[in-house]
Amino acid sequence: MIGVALRKTQGNLNFILYFCSVFYFKTNTFSTMSLITVGTMAFDAIETPFGKVDKIVGGSATYVAYAACNFITPVQQISIVGYDFPEAEMKSLQSRGVQTEGVERVKDKKSFFWSGKYHIDMNTRDTLVTDLNVLEDFNPIVPDSYQGSEFLLLGNLMPKLQLSVINQLKKRPRLIVMDTMNFWMDVALDDLKVVLKKVDVLLVNDGEARQLSGEVSLVKAAKAIMAMGPKYLIIKKGEHGALLFHENSVFFAPALPLEEVFDPTGAGDTFAGGFTGYLAKVKDISFDSMKTAIIVGSAMASFCVEKFGPERLKEINADDITARINEFVQLVNFDIDLIG
Amino acid sequence: MIGVALRKTQGNLNFILYFCSVFYFKTNTFSTMSLITVGTMAFDAIETPFGKVDKIVGGSATYVAYAACNFITPVQQISIVGYDFPEAEMKSLQSRGVQTEGVERVKDKKSFFWSGKYHIDMNTRDTLVTDLNVLEDFNPIVPDSYQGSEFLLLGNLMPKLQLSVINQLKKRPRLIVMDTMNFWMDVALDDLKVVLKKVDVLLVNDGEARQLSGEVSLVKAAKAIMAMGPKYLIIKKGEHGALLFHENSVFFAPALPLEEVFDPTGAGDTFAGGFTGYLAKVKDISFDSMKTAIIVGSAMASFCVEKFGPERLKEINADDITARINEFVQLVNFDIDLIG
C-alpha cells in the first residue's frame, strides 16, 4: 500500500509513513499518556437482515476500549457489570492494555441488556428490550490511579453520570469528548445541556443534531449546538460519512463503501474510541489533527460493522488498520498532476 | 484562495493553479473541441419549503448547457421547444457559446411543462404535472455542423431518443455520458438497456442504482450496472455526495454542506454538464481526470440549488467557480504534515 501511496500527494504519503510509525513506535510510547473512558459494558441481542445473535458482549465502553487500545494505552475503563459478565472478556481487554480497576462488579445483579432489530437499510433500528439491571444503581467512581489523565471520552451514558466523572477529576483533562444519543435528549435534556457546557467535542448523528438544535440544515444545526458549549462538533451520517465542524470550518470524511454492513451495533462507539485514541496518541488536538482522527475513527468503525459485536475489532492488527486507512486515502484523494 | 492552497498538498496546489488556467486560457481554446448534448428545454413550476414559482425556464438540456459552457464551447444543443419558449433565453444561451441549430421550434405547440413539489428534506419530491406537449413528437436530428464532436452528453430523456442521437453520429465520440432517471426504468427499461450497452459513463442516483440493479448495497449495484455496459458509473447521493465506480476502483466526492438548499431542480443535469464539460475541456478521460470532473460537477450543482431554476448559473463567473472548487478542496483535504 505504501507503493500506491508514493504516487499520491505528499500529504498522503506522509500520512501513510507517519501512520506506520504509530505502530512501529507503539511499544515505546505505551506509558506516556492515558485515556479515561466511561460507558456501559453489557450484553446485546441483535437481529440484522444478515443474521441474529441472542446474547453477545456489547456496551459503549466495550467498543470504545477495543478501538482506542490500538492507539493509546492504558485505556482506563469506568463501567459496571453484573455477576454474569464473562471474566474472559475482562481478561481480553486487560491483555490489550485496558485497565478495569474502575469497573464495578455487582454480585447479585445481571449486566445491562439491550436487544434491537435493524431494518433492511441498516440505518434505522427498533429497540426491542432494555433491561437496565446493574445500570439502575450505577455510580461511577474514578479510581485515584486514573487521576491526571489528559484525555477523557464520555461514552454514551446517562448525562448525570457523565457529569459526575468530569466533576471527580482533580485536573481538567486537555480534551473532553462526549458521545450521546437521542434517548437522552428525550428523557434528560436539561442534564445533557449541563454536560455540553463542559466538553470540547460532541459526537451525535444527523438526526440527533437536528433534534438537539431544532434546525433541519446541518450547517445551521452545527452553529446552534456549538453555541451550547462544545467547540468542536462531529455529526455522524452512518453510511454517508461524518462532518467535523469548528468555528467556521468544516471537514468531511466519507464512510468506506462496503459490500455488506453486517452489524452496525457499536460502530458509533468504535468511531469515538478510534477518534479519541488517535488524538491521545499524537497529543495534537488541533483541527487538522482532528481531521485525521475522524478518518481513523471511520476506519475503525468500518471494521466494527463487518461482524456481530466487537468480534472483528478483536481480530485486527496494526497492519490491517494501516491498510484500511489507506483505502480511505484512495477514496477521497484526487490527484491532479496528470491533468493540464 | 491560492494563498490557502499553498498550505495544502501539492496535488491540490496544482489543482488550484491548473483550474485558474482553465479560465485564463479559455479564449485560446474555445474552438478546439465541442460537446453535443441532447435533452429537454422546458417550463417548470416548482414548490419548495422556501418558495414557489409558477413558470420558469428549465429542462435537462438547459441546465446542462448553462453548466458546460463554463468549460467548453461550442456546446451543441439538440432539443425541441414550443412557440411559447422565450427567444431571450435562446439568445442568453447563444451568447454563452451554445449552438441552437439542433433545437427544433414547433409553431403550433407548447413547450414541455413539468410541475413538482419538494418535501421538507429536499431529497424527495412529488411530480404534480407532466405536459409532454412538443415532446410527444420529438425526433432529434443531429445537424451536419455538429458531426465530428468528440464528446456526447445524453441528457435525461426517452432512451429511444438518446439512442437515435448516438446512431446519427458518423464518428463514434471519444466519450458518451448518459444521464437518466427512474421514470425510464419504469416505462422503457428494455430501451434503456440497449442504450446502456453503447455508453461509457452512466449517471444515476442511489435509488435508481438500486432499482436498476436490484441490489441494496451500492457496491454490488455498481458491479451489476457496469456489467450492463458502462465502464464508469456515477451514483449521485444528493446532499450525501457522489460515488464514481470503475472496475475495482471507487472515488467519493462530497456535496458541499449548504445552509440552505433553495431548489434542487436541475442539480443533476448541472452536475452532468459540469462533469462532461470539464472532461471535454481537459481532453483527458482517465479515471483520475474523472475524479476532478466530479468535484467540478459537484461545485456547479452547488450553485444551481442556490436559486430557483438556472438563475444562479447565469450569474456566476470563472472566479466564483474557482473559489467554490477550492471550498471542496478544503472540505476533503486532510493535511498530515503538522502531525508526528
Side-chain angles (χ1 to χ4, degrees), chain A residues 88-325:
Chain A
E89 198 66 27
M90 287 294 181
K91 295 239 176 313
S92 165
L93 286 165
Q94 288 158 358
S95 71
R96 288 168 165 78
V98 180
Q99 294 178 357
T100 58
E101 187 186 345
V103 179
E104 180 185 357
R105 183 181 282 276
V106 180
K107 296 263 174 296
D108 59 352
K109 276 195 162 188
K110 285 187 164 185
S111 302
F112 173 50
F113 174 77
W114 175 83
S115 171
K117 177 177 181 175
Y118 288 86
H119 302 167
I120 182 69
D121 69 359
M122 290 291 221
N123 292 325
T124 51
R125 69 185 185 189
D126 299 325
T127 290
L128 304 177
V129 181
T130 306
D131 293 336
L132 290 178
N133 301 328
V134 293
L135 219 52
E136 282 176 303
D137 34 33
F138 184 29
N139 175 28
I141 305 298
V142 179
D144 291 342
S145 62
Y146 288 13
Q147 292 290 346
S149 177
E150 293 197 14
F151 290 84
L152 170 63
L153 171 50
L154 302 166
N156 180 27
L157 192 68
M158 297 84 144
K160 260 193 164 58
L161 302 185
Q162 293 177 314
L163 183 64
S164 157
V165 169
I166 295 175
N167 291 338
Q168 289 177 60
L169 296 176
K170 294 170 182 143
K171 171 170 156 283
R172 204 264 186 195
R174 240 178 102 204
L175 189 76
I176 301 180
V177 179
M178 174 190 189
D179 192 13
T180 188
M181 71 185 295
N182 52 350
F183 180 74
W184 306 120
M185 298 172 192
D186 296 334
V187 305
L189 184 58
D190 292 345
D191 295 343
L192 183 65
K193 285 184 173 174
V194 173
V195 188
L196 280 179
K197 288 187 173 31
K198 294 175 171 287
V199 304
D200 303 301
V201 184
L202 175 68
L203 293 87
V204 288
N205 68 31
D206 45 0
E208 290 157 353
R210 292 185 166 111
Q211 177 175 352
L212 185 58
S213 65
E215 295 281 358
V216 174
S217 153
L218 292 181
V219 177
K220 288 182 174 181
K223 288 179 180 173
I225 292 170
M226 287 190 288
M228 299 177 185
K231 292 180 290 295
Y232 299 85
L233 173 68
I234 294 171
I235 298 181
K236 300 168 289 179
K237 303 197 297 172
E239 64 171 325
H240 300 306
L243 290 161
L244 167 66
F245 293 91
H246 174 57
E247 291 169 351
N248 291 320
S249 300
V250 58
F251 172 72
F252 178 86
L256 203 63
L258 298 169
E259 288 215 9
E260 270 167 15
V261 172
F262 194 76
D263 170 22
T265 308
D269 310 306
T270 304
F271 177 96
F275 172 81
T276 314
Y278 178 82
L279 291 176
K281 172 71 192 172
V282 298
K283 309 186 188 71
D284 177 344
I285 58 174
S286 67
F287 184 72
D288 278 316
S289 181
M290 288 192 190
K291 290 179 180 180
T292 309
I294 284 188
I295 298 288
V296 172
S298 302
M300 297 310 293
S302 74
F303 283 118
C304 177
V305 302
E306 289 177 345
K307 290 190 176 182
F308 272 119
E311 279 319 299
R312 186 69 179 119
L313 296 177
K314 297 183 192 177
E315 299 170 350
I316 56 173
N317 60 30
D319 293 340
D320 298 320
I321 295 172
T322 305
R324 183 61 58 92
I325 292 280

Side-chain angles (χ1 to χ4, degrees), chain B residues 197-258:
Chain B
K197 289 188 171 35
K198 294 174 172 287
V199 305
D200 303 300
V201 184
L202 175 69
L203 292 88
V204 288
N205 68 31
D206 46 359
E208 290 157 352
R210 292 185 166 114
Q211 177 175 352
L212 185 57
S213 65
E215 295 280 0
V216 175
S217 154
L218 292 182
V219 177
K220 289 183 175 178
K223 289 179 179 173
I225 292 170
M226 287 191 285
M228 299 177 185
K231 292 181 290 297
Y232 300 85
L233 173 68
I234 294 171
I235 298 181
K236 300 169 289 179
K237 304 198 297 173
E239 64 169 325
H240 300 306
L243 290 161
L244 167 66
F245 293 91
H246 174 57
E247 292 169 351
N248 291 320
S249 300
V250 58
F251 172 72
F252 178 85
L256 203 64
L258 299 169

Side-chain angles (χ1 to χ4, degrees), chain B residues 15-61:
Chain B
F15 179 93
I16 301 302
L17 297 179
Y18 167 74
F19 205 84
C20 296
S21 72
V22 167
F23 300 101
Y24 187 80
F25 296 113
K26 194 169 181 182
T27 50
N28 308 343
T29 53
F30 256 32
S31 58
T32 60
M33 187 77 63
S34 72
L35 165 66
I36 299 178
T37 185
V38 58
T40 58
M41 298 176 77
F43 287 112
D44 292 338
I46 303 160
E47 187 174 346
T48 81
F50 300 104
K52 192 172 185 296
V53 283
D54 285 342
K55 195 181 182 190
I56 58 171
V57 167
S60 59

